[in-house]
Amino acid sequence: LITEEMAVEAFQDLHTIQDLHTIQDWVRWTASQFVSNEVFFGHGTDNPWDEAISLCAHALHLEVEHLNTFLDARLTSKERRHLMSLITLRVNERLPLPYITNQSWFAGLNFYVDKRVLIPRSPFAEIIEQQVTPWLDPDGVKRILDIGTGSGCLAIACAYAFEEATVDAVDISEEALTVAAQNVQNHQLLERVSLIRSDLFQSIPNERYDLILANIPYVDLADMTTLPAEYQHEPQLALAAGEDGLDYIRDVIAKAAEHLSDKGVLIGEVGNSASALMDAFPELAFIWVELERGGDGVFVLTRQDLLQSLNKA
């Protein structure tokens, strides 16, 4: 754990803390540090300014939207040293911002996160907010399965989007499920979201769902070796998926039909492994979702698509 004294020494500038007085000073200087040290942004913000604002607001116990009101306010000595320690974590240790704040936003909802879970950032948020239309009738969605739930963000977002549905959220990691349980409790969804330790479908052999979301590891070996340092803090179990990135999605596609209702739909995310997936299943008519907020590699398959593929095989 980096102490505030170590933080000052880490930047090798004993005068910095004394030279920066106002919140505006600190936001500007923090953003400059992010740029000059080539910090990577990909866990909630996409630029140094927004990242600096978020970090400073957290350190000062202020809401981001209220920070402008206090830009000319001066920081106490204790606040300056605390803020410097957090900047050190972000710059020197490359610790992602949500692991510093223990907070991440997904589909407009707030979640607790730490190093036991992947930081929520899936483009599934857009699909869930639109209630998976046009591929499903929202009124017909009564049971949902979230495979690889991690923090529980997808499962919880689904519970909000489909108020009449129950959600089973599975993960192989007991540590991840502990975090998910905290989020389920925080959102008061204990009666509608069930957490199950399972290796994909293993612990739910006879269950059927109207919607299955597969947000499982899909990073191939080549990409794993080139990930920015920030991603090394995340659980590798939640990222790495073998040489071609398909180690887990292959099993999901092979078994999803038997776990879907007649009009059920499977939605999966495979990112840069999309081409490999199409090569592996040339007989499947993948629907690749065009996302308004960015992101790619998200596909839709109906139960009928999956059954036809199995018959051809």
Side-chain angles (χ1 to χ4, degrees), residues 209-312:
Y209 302 90
D210 304 304
L211 172 62
I212 297 177
L213 299 176
N215 186 25
I216 52 182
Y218 59 75
V219 183
D220 64 29
L221 185 60
D223 282 350
M224 283 298 298
T225 61
T226 60
L227 287 175
E230 279 81 355
Y231 290 94
Q232 303 305 319
H233 291 280
E234 295 188 286
Q236 301 302 288
L237 179 67
L239 291 169
E243 186 171 351
D244 61 1
L246 306 181
D247 279 6
Y248 303 102
I249 197 64
R250 276 193 185 91
D251 288 343
V252 170
I253 288 176
K255 299 173 182 176
E258 60 190 81
H259 292 279
L260 284 168
S261 60
D262 289 341
K263 295 183 179 180
V265 165
L266 165 68
I267 303 181
E269 181 182 354
V270 291
N272 290 342
S273 298
S275 295
L277 184 64
M278 288 187 287
D279 290 341
F281 295 93
E283 73 283 0
L284 272 175
F286 292 100
I287 300 170
W288 295 99
V289 182
E290 294 185 11
L291 298 157
E292 294 181 3
R293 303 177 200 165
D296 52 24
V298 176
F299 68 83
V300 177
L301 289 169
T302 68
R303 183 171 187 264
Q304 297 307 313
D305 293 331
L306 292 162
L307 289 174
Q308 289 175 13
S309 171
L310 290 174
N311 291 335
K312 290 178 182 179

Side-chain angles (χ1 to χ4, degrees), residues 67-178:
L67 199 65
N68 283 340
T69 305
F70 302 101
L71 287 179
D72 293 330
R74 297 168 65 92
L75 276 64
T76 66
S77 175
K78 183 177 180 180
E79 287 174 332
R80 293 198 299 267
R81 298 185 76 84
H82 176 57
L83 181 51
M84 180 66 88
S85 71
L86 299 188
I87 297 168
T88 303
L89 283 173
R90 186 67 188 93
V91 172
N92 288 19
E93 303 298 318
R94 289 298 197 268
L95 190 67
L97 179 62
Y99 287 158
I100 295 174
T101 64
N102 293 126
Q103 184 181 74
S104 184
W105 290 85
F106 179 81
L109 303 169
N110 191 9
F111 296 94
Y112 172 87
V113 294
D114 60 32
K115 283 189 173 185
R116 292 173 291 180
V117 297
L118 205 68
I119 296 167
R121 53 183 176 272
S122 172
F124 277 176
E126 181 179 322
I127 297 171
I128 293 170
E129 289 171 354
Q130 295 173 356
Q131 294 184 300
V132 199
T133 56
W135 304 288
L136 280 175
D137 175 4
D139 293 334
V141 177
K142 304 301 180 184
R143 298 200 69 200
I144 300 170
L145 174 64
D146 172 24
I147 306 176
T149 196
S151 64
C153 62
L154 265 68
I156 291 168
C158 281
Y160 279 99
F162 300 92
E163 296 182 356
E164 301 301 319
T166 58
V167 186
D168 286 348
V170 306
D171 204 295
I172 196 171
S173 168
E174 195 69 55
E175 288 188 334
L177 289 172
T178 300

